[in-house]
Amino acid sequence: NMSSFKKTGLFMLVVGIGVPLMNAALGLLLTYLLHINLGDSLLLVVLLASASYIAVPAAFRLTVPTADPSIYLSTALVIT
């Protein structure tokens, strides 16, 4: 399946790194605006940053049944 990965590899890498960083930045902004203490802020930021790796493979399988699982599962694990 390397041919499939070569077609989508760069986009998947950018999204795989960019989305968690954007989620973490959103979490930092929310914790700053809501004056949440440091421990809770750290937990929220970590959960937001990792949410895409946990939820996306399962949700992707349900929404796009024709997608190749070897691409989206391995990509989520490799980037993590």
Side-chain angles (χ1 to χ4, degrees):
N1 291 331
M2 285 304 287
S3 62
S4 298
F5 182 72
K6 287 179 184 177
K7 286 189 252 178
T8 60
L10 181 61
F11 174 74
M12 292 174 74
L13 182 67
V14 170
V15 169
I17 293 172
V19 169
L21 290 175
M22 289 187 322
N23 287 346
L26 177 66
L28 283 173
L29 179 65
L30 285 174
T31 58
Y32 177 76
L33 293 174
L34 298 174
H35 303 289
I36 298 175
N37 66 13
L38 184 62
D40 293 337
S41 297
L42 178 66
L43 181 60
L44 181 64
V45 169
V46 169
L47 287 173
L48 284 172
S50 65
S52 60
Y53 297 124
I54 296 167
V56 168
F60 199 78
R61 191 183 113 236
L62 293 173
T63 55
V64 186
T66 59
D68 187 3
S70 64
I71 299 292
Y72 62 83
L73 285 175
S74 61
T75 306
L77 294 173
V78 168
I79 293 175
T80 302

